[in-house]
Amino acid sequence: MRGNKYGAKKTVKDGIEFASKMEAERYRMLMLLERAGEISELTLQPAFVLVEPFTKMGKKKRGIKYTADFMYKENGQVIVEDVKGFAARDFSLRKTLFDVRNPDIILRLVTMTGGGWKVK
């Protein structure tokens, strides 16, 4: 399997193809949390519109969509997670656009360190 531009290698877990080994591992962890009743309604690859398509000076412009890695409920709160080896430069802009459009949803950046999962 081919990796992505950051060197991550696609990984298959439970018959599902993930963009990286880290994302597949986070899926395994979230599945355990769901089975334990800590989270519910786990969803893979939820998509969100950050900017609607628009027209400028007579030219149609595409909107901007964002596809996260996971979405679930934790204590009644909707949580969206993006699993990354590091925070990409554009993540803070993406998070700001996401927060403006989805004020009631928490967007978390999840990375893995030597000591375990780190949530920002």
Side-chain angles (χ1 to χ4, degrees):
M1 285 181 248
R2 228 178 94 221
N4 71 11
K5 64 184 176 181
Y6 298 112
K9 293 185 178 144
K10 292 189 183 221
T11 302
V12 176
K13 187 150 199 99
D14 296 337
I16 303 167
E17 185 177 287
F18 294 94
S20 68
K21 183 177 178 183
M22 187 182 315
E23 188 179 322
E25 188 59 30
R26 183 62 179 166
Y27 168 72
R28 186 187 69 76
M29 175 61 69
L30 290 172
M31 288 296 294
L32 290 173
L33 290 171
E34 188 171 47
R35 286 185 191 124
E38 298 286 323
I39 66 170
S40 62
E41 301 178 36
L42 178 61
T43 305
L44 307 178
Q45 302 292 306
F48 300 89
V49 173
L50 299 182
V51 177
E52 296 287 342
F54 62 97
T55 302
K56 181 174 180 175
M57 302 174 97
K59 292 186 178 182
K60 291 185 179 186
K61 302 289 184 175
R62 292 187 310 190
I64 299 172
K65 290 183 183 178
Y66 165 58
T67 301
D69 296 320
F70 306 105
M71 182 170 67
Y72 54 88
K73 281 192 177 177
E74 181 178 63
N75 299 321
Q77 174 68 57
V78 177
I79 308 292
V80 171
E81 284 191 1
D82 205 356
V83 178
K84 300 285 182 227
F86 60 93
R89 276 188 296 177
D90 68 342
F91 185 77
S92 63
L93 175 59
R94 186 179 307 152
K95 183 173 182 357
T96 298
L97 291 171
F98 181 92
D99 288 346
V100 167
R101 299 272 311 200
N102 304 280
D104 297 329
I105 300 174
I106 295 172
L107 174 59
R108 293 178 176 164
L109 176 64
V110 179
T111 59
M112 185 178 245
T113 63
W117 296 102
K118 184 175 181 181
V119 178
K120 296 180 185 177

